[in-house]
């Protein structure tokens, strides 16, 4: 994708602060970090989101997330860690190239990355189960 900024960053055409790189992925620091050390795993080949991502790349991204999170948690003395991955504008995706957020968390860091718990009913749960499992 010639006009995709994350393609350019992942492939080194635009400079970034890189924490890790291999043939398939680059891990960069986010320019608008939620917390100290907030990073992004970028596949080098373009996929707009999770739905376009080849399964092999999805597996590789999660394996890399485990390695990076383990290393970053220790190096940055984080107290916890969020993995976040947004798909579609409704879910908060702003850059249409798959990326997995690595967000170190610190006690009292003041971030609000979790959701407000809602409510449901047995009927709604059954209708969701049917829609997903019997499609
Ligand atoms: P999302 O909202 O999940 O699409 O996340 C996009 C993320 O990319 C945001 O956290 C931005 O701060 C980050 N971002 C956008 N442009 C750049 C860039 N050039 N370098 C590093 N991070 C970026
Ligand atoms: Zn791209």
């Amino acid at each position: 994708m010639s006009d995709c900024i994350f393609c350019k960053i992942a492939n080194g055409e635009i400079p970034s602060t890189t924490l890790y790189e291999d043939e398939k992925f680059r891990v960069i620091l986010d320019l608008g970090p939620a917390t100290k050390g907030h990073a992004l795993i970028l596949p080098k080949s373009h996929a707009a989101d999770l739905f376009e991502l080849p399964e092999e790349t999805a597996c590789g991204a999660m394996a890399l997330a485990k390695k990076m999170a383990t290393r970053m948690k220790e190096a940055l003395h984080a107290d916890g860690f969020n993995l976040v991955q947004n798909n579609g504008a409704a879910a908060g995706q702003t850059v249409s190239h798959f990326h997995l957020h690595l967000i170190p968390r610190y006690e009292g860091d003041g971030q609000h990355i979790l959701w407000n718990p809602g409510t449901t009913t047995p009927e709604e749960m059954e209708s969701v189960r049917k829609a997903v499992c019997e499609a």
Side-chain angles (χ1 to χ4, degrees), residues 4 36-37 49 53 58 70 75 79 104 113 115 120 124 133:
C4 172
K36 187 176 81 174
D49 55 24
L53 197 69
T70 303
D79 302 307
I113 292 166
W115 55 90
T120 187
E124 184 183 64
C133 303

Side-chain angles (χ1 to χ4, degrees), residues 53-67:
L53 197 69
E55 188 173 319
E56 189 193 337
T57 313
C59 292
M62 188 51 80
L64 181 54
K66 178 172 166 60
K67 278 189 207 147

Side-chain angles (χ1 to χ4, degrees), residues 22-82:
D22 64 21
E23 256 180 33
K24 294 184 173 163
F25 297 100
R26 183 186 294 268
V27 182
I28 64 165
L29 284 183
D30 195 297
L31 278 184
T35 62
K36 187 176 81 174
H38 180 172
L40 303 170
I41 295 182
L42 309 179
K44 290 189 175 178
S45 16
H46 183 84
D49 55 24
L50 183 68
F51 308 107
E52 281 191 7
L53 197 69
E55 188 173 319
E56 189 193 337
T57 313
C59 292
M62 188 51 80
L64 181 54
K66 178 172 166 60
K67 278 189 207 147
M68 291 302 303
T70 303
R71 191 158 159 184
M72 291 167 72
K73 186 169 184 284
E74 191 179 331
L76 299 171
H77 309 292
D79 302 307
F81 216 96
N82 290 117

